[in-house]
Amino acid sequence: ARDFGSEWNLQATKQFGAHYTAGLKYGNYEADGDVPVLIGTTANVDTGLPVFNARLRQADLLASTEYPEAYFVARTFRFEGQRVAEVRGEFTLRGVSQPLSLYARHFACRSEDDGTEVCGGDFMGEILRSDFGATYLLPFVADRVRLLVRVEGRRPPPGPR
């Protein structure tokens, strides 16, 4: 399997039916470790409509004031050859943690001319918002929410920095 340990600089975009950018902490881990953490600020959700953004951030949906962060902690990785196929972990929203599997829709790695290794992919998972206490307008508005996560990581070439 590909060595995914040590010093990757990652960027991620997570979508809750809206554009949501998050930072990613990533360090040394084994394929079944639990170090990679995706952390996002719920106040950053952007649908393109300021009125709708404000509504999503209220206490009965994202509860951005009470719970300013949502995050994902990866626990295990499933590979198909050299490719990450699935990342299983725990997603926390509104202070509630639930298991979540993110399935790779696309994943690839490449080396740049300077020796930097770049890996990235698009991942998808689904949650029930009611599992996290976001029950506003159920059953009139769907309970199932699809999460789309785009991640790209860059590992500098070995040697002095």
Side-chain angles (χ1 to χ4, degrees), residues 51-71:
V51 172
F52 191 46
N53 296 342
R55 182 65 193 96
L56 287 174
R57 295 175 187 141
Q58 289 182 1
D60 54 0
L61 288 173
L62 291 177
S64 296
T65 301
E66 298 85 354
Y67 304 101
E69 292 183 332
Y71 53 93

Side-chain angles (χ1 to χ4, degrees), residues 11-85:
Q11 300 174 10
T13 300
K14 187 169 205 137
Q15 299 177 337
F16 297 132
H19 200 55
Y20 176 80
T21 302
L24 191 63
K25 295 180 182 178
Y26 200 79
N28 294 327
Y29 74 97
E30 299 297 325
D32 58 354
D34 64 352
V35 174
V37 178
L38 176 71
I39 301 174
T41 305
T42 56
N44 287 347
V45 170
D46 185 9
T47 64
L49 299 170
V51 172
F52 191 46
N53 296 342
R55 182 65 193 96
L56 287 174
R57 295 175 187 141
Q58 289 182 1
D60 54 0
L61 288 173
L62 291 177
S64 296
T65 301
E66 298 85 354
Y67 304 101
E69 292 183 332
Y71 53 93
F72 177 74
V73 178
R75 303 281 186 214
T76 59
F77 296 77
R78 184 175 60 81
F79 290 84
E80 291 177 357
Q82 294 286 312
R83 181 182 164 277
V84 176

